[in-house]
Amino acid sequence: MTADPTGTTNPTETTTENRGVVGKLSTLDRFLPLWIAAAMVAGLLAGRWIPGLNTTLEAISVGGISVPIALGLLVMMYPVLAKVRYDRLDTVTRDHRLLWPSLVLNWVLGPAVMFALAWALLPDLPEYRTGLIIVGLARCIAMVIIWNDLACGDREAAAVLVALNSVFQVIAFGALGWFYLELLPGWLGLPTADLDVSAWQIAVNVLIFLGIPLLAGYLTRRFGERAKGRAWYESRFLPRIGPLALYGLLFTIVLLFALQGEQITGNPLDVVRIALPLLIYFAVMWAGSYALGKAVGLNYERTTTLAFTAAGNNFELAIAVAIATFGATSGQALAGVVGPLIEVPVLVALVYVSLALRRRFAASTEPHPSDRQ
């Protein structure tokens, strides 16, 4: 992409670039919504029709998280984190227009929006309401990496923001749970709910879903470039491991929906009630974050990263906390399980919305740290 002397990007070139991005997608990427829909259906059917499958998946767990699901997430996240240019992270940490809005969106507005929606739309269903509030407290550190990459967001920015979310998750999750489930409802004269979650449980979740793939990605790039050079690493090695991210994503989706397939298919009306506030939440958080990023002058890549990191949630943690506190068959656990049922297709759709909006960024107000196309 080039710019004229005034610094404005040529709209024709931007449109051509967007078409080029789509044209470069593999068959797996191009038909991603179809593969994800098939994975969700396969998981739901497997969970309902294969005897003992969900029991087996739950039995093999660490910190309340199924080990097969954890492995799928590690495979999913590793290739993307291996692509990150770690020598450019300082360009992100210096960008206060990105960091402060992200922290406010994730840790102030996100939980508050979910709290308001849960009480407004599920006033008569306290278990589901509590489950949704827990989902709102669990900020995304896993699948957002995939959505951001598919939407051509800033990889380095995503790595920094999910790392910040991880730190805040360990520090703030328990306190926010107490605030939104006990203190604030008490102030408002509403029924309260107890949440028993340890910082260790959250730390284990962060270590599994971010720490391990982040360390693996960093070491792979460092030693790969040292041994073979950056040109070989980016032109030969990364294309070979790239497809693993989507294979891991599809595998994880199958397992997630198999784990609670019977619960979801056995309560269709409840799922619809839970889905409505989730749909509104994802739309409000993504669109609001996107508009904010553009308003403060972020370029397309970082605006996209801001939007996806604010809209996504760590449903693995939410499910684990709900199961550990209220039980595997509780309404709170069901609300957590419905989270990915709604989040996955909605955020996939938003990937395509984001790519369509790319042409509206006629100019970047700052140089992007990497030319990835």
Side-chain angles (χ1 to χ4, degrees):
M1 185 185 297
T2 59
D4 65 20
T6 66
T8 303
T9 304
N10 188 319
T12 303
E13 293 184 12
T14 305
T15 303
T16 302
E17 182 189 19
N18 289 338
R19 291 171 181 167
V21 170
V22 175
K24 292 177 183 178
L25 294 176
S26 66
T27 301
L28 181 63
D29 293 334
R30 194 174 296 119
F31 297 102
L32 181 63
L34 176 62
W35 309 139
I36 286 180
M40 292 169 66
V41 171
L44 290 172
L45 294 178
R48 191 169 180 85
W49 291 347
I50 299 178
L53 178 60
N54 59 342
T55 303
T56 301
L57 290 174
E58 288 176 345
I60 312 171
S61 64
V62 174
I65 301 296
S66 170
V67 170
I69 291 176
L71 292 175
L73 286 165
L74 294 180
V75 172
M76 176 190 79
M77 294 178 67
Y78 163 68
V80 179
L81 291 171
K83 295 176 183 179
V84 171
R85 290 285 299 274
Y86 292 93
D87 57 338
R88 292 175 170 171
L89 294 185
D90 61 328
T91 67
V92 180
T93 57
R94 293 197 304 263
D95 191 351
H96 299 298
R97 293 173 303 167
L98 174 67
L99 294 181
W100 287 111
S102 177
L103 291 175
V104 171
L105 287 166
N106 273 285
W107 297 102
V108 178
L109 293 181
V113 169
M114 188 68 89
F115 175 86
L117 289 171
W119 272 102
L121 299 175
L122 300 173
D124 57 329
L125 297 171
E127 290 190 358
Y128 298 155
R129 184 177 64 237
T130 298
L132 282 184
I133 293 172
I134 294 173
V135 170
L137 299 178
R139 312 312 300 168
C140 195
I141 64 170
M143 283 191 178
V144 70
I145 296 284
I146 291 289
W147 312 137
N148 177 74
D149 212 51
L150 289 171
C152 299
D154 189 317
R155 289 192 190 111
E156 289 70 38
V160 170
L161 295 185
V162 297
L164 282 175
N165 276 349
S166 299
V167 172
F168 273 82
Q169 203 135 243
V170 174
I171 296 172
F173 186 93
L176 287 173
W178 169 74
F179 178 78
Y180 281 106
L181 293 175
E182 298 184 50
L183 185 62
L184 183 57
W187 285 349
L188 299 175
L190 302 171
T192 61
D194 295 326
L195 180 63
D196 182 18
V197 57
S198 70
W200 169 248
Q201 182 181 14
I202 300 169
V204 168
N205 182 276
V206 170
L207 174 64
I208 292 174
F209 297 127
L210 180 64
I212 294 174
L214 183 62
L215 179 62
Y218 170 76
L219 293 177
T220 300
R221 177 173 279 277
R222 180 175 181 181
F223 290 108
E225 289 187 356
R226 180 178 296 178
K228 296 278 192 174
R230 177 164 291 178
W232 172 88
Y233 183 84
E234 296 192 343
S235 65
R236 301 288 297 277
F237 179 73
L238 290 181
R240 291 178 184 173
I241 66 170
L244 291 176
L246 293 182
Y247 295 143
L249 172 64
L250 297 176
F251 175 75
T252 302
I253 290 171
V254 170
L255 293 184
L256 277 172
F257 289 103
L259 187 63
Q260 300 289 342
E262 185 173 353
Q263 203 173 359
I264 291 174
T265 57
N267 301 276
L269 294 180
D270 289 349
V271 168
V272 173
R273 289 286 306 272
I274 298 168
L276 180 58
L278 283 168
L279 283 170
I280 298 173
Y281 171 84
F282 292 132
V284 168
M285 290 301 296
W286 189 90
S289 303
Y290 203 95
L292 176 61
K294 188 161 175 54
V296 300
L298 294 177
N299 62 13
Y300 168 81
E301 290 83 357
R302 291 189 175 174
T303 296
T304 297
T305 299
L306 179 67
F308 279 100
T309 52
N313 290 84
N314 186 356
F315 52 78
E316 302 88 3
L317 174 60
I319 293 171
V321 169
I323 290 175
T325 304
F326 302 103
T329 60
S330 65
Q332 292 88 342
L334 177 59
V337 171
V338 174
L341 177 69
I342 305 303
E343 177 175 336
V344 169
V346 168
L347 292 190
V348 169
L350 289 174
V351 166
Y352 289 90
V353 172
S354 187
L355 290 172
L357 291 173
R358 199 177 191 191
R359 70 195 61 170
R360 293 183 179 273
F361 281 78
S364 294
T365 57
E366 59 180 335
H368 183 239
S370 63
D371 181 12
R372 300 200 280 128
Q373 301 300 334

